[in-house]
Amino acid sequence: MDGVPVEVEYKFKIPPDIQERLASINATLAKDITFTDVYLDTTDFVLCCSDTWLRKRNGKYQLKYAAPDRVKCDVRQYKKTGDEMLIRQHVYRVIAGFNNTEHSTEHSYDLEQLVPYAELTTQRLEYEADQVVIDLDRTDFGYNVGEIEVVSSCSDDLQSGVENVQRVAALLDVQTVDRPISKLMTYLCVHNKALRDKIYSLFKF
């Protein structure tokens, strides 16, 4: 999936004075939106166990998976696409590889065969500041989390993207050792702790 952009992201706990901190870096509100994510996988969670995350956001497919050439740091880097054909092809490769079956780039997977395992609704305030996007998310199950992100169009931009995200995190003073977990992992902690624990045993979040 060459050419798929990389989303560089840093999650943080939202402090009570976040609006003052955003104002201090001249962040401007770009969007106030609400969306529902339905996460999909095989019945034995092949995608989750391969650090591959497929969801329908307001009915449209989105795929995120770990960037193979990511920079080693505390900032997460995932390739992200909404191109359904690319999604079908990548999901096929992941599942075929997991099952040790032969596959080619021409094959694609019928996404309708996948089953939902999580559904969550998020109200998001999206701010823009200094070449990054800052999201403040509030979920329908009471979990709030912030995220600083930038999208890099190619591998050469990754280091610059990581540095921009880290710089804004420092300006907002939200760099902490006790980092928050994702909305999905928090949801699974309540609704499917066994799956959450399995994912945690494979990957660091």
Side-chain angles (χ1 to χ4, degrees), residues 46-59:
V46 169
L47 299 182
C48 286
C49 294
S50 303
D51 203 6
T52 300
W53 311 95
L54 177 65
R55 67 191 176 206
K56 268 189 171 182
R57 173 164 293 179
N58 287 350

Side-chain angles (χ1 to χ4, degrees), residues 108-122:
S108 63
Y109 194 84
D110 180 4
L111 302 180
E112 296 301 320
Q113 295 184 40
L114 301 174
V115 296
Y117 66 94
E119 180 173 342
L120 46 151
T121 298
T122 300

Side-chain angles (χ1 to χ4, degrees), residues 23-200:
S24 73
I25 64 170
N26 298 315
T28 58
L29 180 63
K31 296 179 183 178
D32 181 348
I33 57 177
T34 299
F35 52 86
T36 298
D37 291 324
V38 178
Y39 285 84
L40 305 165
D41 209 326
T42 61
T43 55
D44 50 353
F45 302 106
V46 169
L47 299 182
C48 286
C49 294
S50 303
D51 203 6
T52 300
W53 311 95
L54 177 65
R55 67 191 176 206
K56 268 189 171 182
R57 173 164 293 179
N58 287 350
K60 296 183 179 180
Y61 287 109
Q62 292 183 352
L63 179 72
K64 294 176 69 173
Y65 63 99
D69 46 2
R70 56 189 177 275
V71 177
K72 292 184 178 180
C73 62
D74 62 347
V75 178
R76 299 176 69 193
Q77 301 144 63
Y78 279 83
K79 292 210 169 191
K80 180 179 178 180
T81 181
D83 185 310
E84 189 168 327
M85 181 52 69
L86 292 179
I87 291 172
R88 290 176 182 275
Q89 291 172 345
H90 188 76
V91 168
Y92 180 89
R93 288 197 295 272
V94 170
I95 294 174
F98 191 88
N99 294 324
N100 294 315
T101 57
E102 293 185 5
H103 58 281
S104 70
T105 56
E106 288 77 24
H107 288 127
S108 63
Y109 194 84
D110 180 4
L111 302 180
E112 296 301 320
Q113 295 184 40
L114 301 174
V115 296
Y117 66 94
E119 180 173 342
L120 46 151
T121 298
T122 300
Q123 180 181 359
R124 168 172 291 176
L125 297 178
E126 181 179 303
Y127 293 83
E128 295 178 351
D130 204 8
Q131 302 180 359
V132 305
V133 170
I134 304 160
D135 295 329
L136 304 182
D137 287 351
R138 183 173 64 189
T139 69
D140 58 346
F141 55 94
Y143 185 63
N144 300 334
V145 66
E147 183 176 284
I148 303 168
E149 66 179 38
V150 64
V151 176
S152 297
S153 59
C154 64
S155 299
D156 294 340
D157 294 335
L158 266 182
Q159 184 63 50
S160 175
V162 167
E163 291 172 357
N164 279 339
V165 167
Q166 291 175 325
R167 177 174 49 78
V168 172
L171 289 172
L172 290 175
D173 193 22
V174 292
Q175 292 177 305
T176 60
V177 175
D178 183 22
R179 296 279 300 284
I181 61 177
S182 71
K183 294 177 292 184
L184 177 58
M185 292 302 106
T186 305
Y187 177 95
L188 291 178
C189 187
V190 175
H191 297 279
N192 193 338
K193 191 173 184 299
L195 175 59
R196 196 288 303 262
D197 291 345
K198 183 177 183 179
I199 294 169
Y200 266 43

